[in-house]
Amino acid sequence: MTVSHRAGFRTLLFLASFAVAAAAFAQWPYPTGSDGKPTLAPMLKQVTPAVVNIAVITRKQAPRHPMLDDPFFRRFFNLPGPQRGQPRQSVGSGVIVDAEQGYVMTNHHVVSDADKLVVTLADRRSFEADVLGSDEGTDIALLRIEADDLKAISFGDSDELEVGDFVLAIGNPFGIGQTVTSGIVSALGRTGLNVGGYEDFIQTDASINPGNSGGALVDLDGKLIGVNSAIMTMAGGNVGIGFAVPAAMAREIMDQLIEYGEVRRGQLGIHIQDVTPSIAEALNLDTAVGALVSQVLPGSAAEEAGLQAGDVIVAIDGRPVENSTGLRNMIGLMRLGTDMEITYIRDGELNTMTARTGRSSSQVLAESEAVDKFRGAEFRDIDPSHPRYATVEGVLVADVEEGSHAERNGLREGDIVTAVNRVKVRSVAEFSEVAAAAGGAIALNILRGSARVFLVIP
């Protein structure tokens, strides 16, 4: 090859390389600035003012023996009175979803133990926030601040997301200030994280760290498609696996929190499980999809509609049901009294029926029913959102007021009371009846985590 030929070949190679680079550049997903370089800055300038930092201030007392709260014991030993816990501060993030009303969406776990919440905007203005409502089942909470000149974010359609879509996470990691990270949607419909009762997480490799909770997951149009909620890590930092609550789920919860201050979920009244290949073979099903009804509760909406154990639910209002988790999420986001069309398979035939969601079978022990010894504690039936539902029989101690009579007697939030005076209790009604009939001291068998506790309340 002559010198001129080699020069011509190098020129051709250069042009070919330039053409490939230009083609790749033309497919770059980010918009370009005035200098032709890819940038997200114009979009972020519109979005970041809607993402806020949240300072969470709590006062918690260190664990102490109940006798230290007894006035006679303190007086006898000349001990000081109960001391207030020292204030502790943690950080989180939030998203302004309504500028006119001052609504800020965040995670339930960010605000659940807060005594005071301070929201700091991107322009460094700070406001104390009120909690309008919070839902542990989906890990969504809604705050309100009184402020002018707020900038809200627009909701995107999280149902249209696909694996591989580009996303950005905006929040306040480690409390260092507003930070933007980028990545893609790594997976959809993630469950089993034990973060909340209703799980349909968007998984992303955009860096999410402690403090990002409650922040925004946005698409390249700057639309909110998720609320950052959790990370999977062994060391407390980002390892490229983060999770966000889909915007569609968060918006439905937000609407109910605005209207009711709580989430009023309807229930069908069924126990369900996944359709495995072996179950599909036994029932002569073409594919292992859907949710198998293993039990229909007496007096439930499902019984009234005509569902039977052994039915396989494959669609709700025309939306396919892939598994039991998918069905549970669909029903869990429906309001009380919602009509739905259920498509199901029975004896190999496809059928439809209409059902209306009824009230949850879970009961709460009201103050008027509470035994005096349990003042300050709230008892609930164990509902399907609890990880030990259908595996443990008992009554859940849903809440214990700090410094209350119940706390001084040794009850703790999360306890499961399995027996009262050695009589097994399976519901709030049974617990109330047995406890009220007790004449003197009350002995409780309690499951506390993996430990079994025997507590005698004089």
Side-chain angles (χ1 to χ4, degrees), residues 9 42-43 63 88 169 181-182 216 230 254 313-314 327 330 418 424:
F9 180 76
M43 179 270 284
R88 304 172 67 179
T181 56
S182 65
M254 180 190 76
I313 299 176
V314 294
L327 176 60
M330 289 182 187
T418 58
K424 290 184 177 180

Side-chain angles (χ1 to χ4, degrees), residues 43-58:
M43 179 270 284
L44 289 171
K45 286 178 182 177
Q46 299 297 316
V47 172
T48 51
V51 182
V52 303
N53 298 344
I54 301 177
V56 184
I57 301 168
T58 60

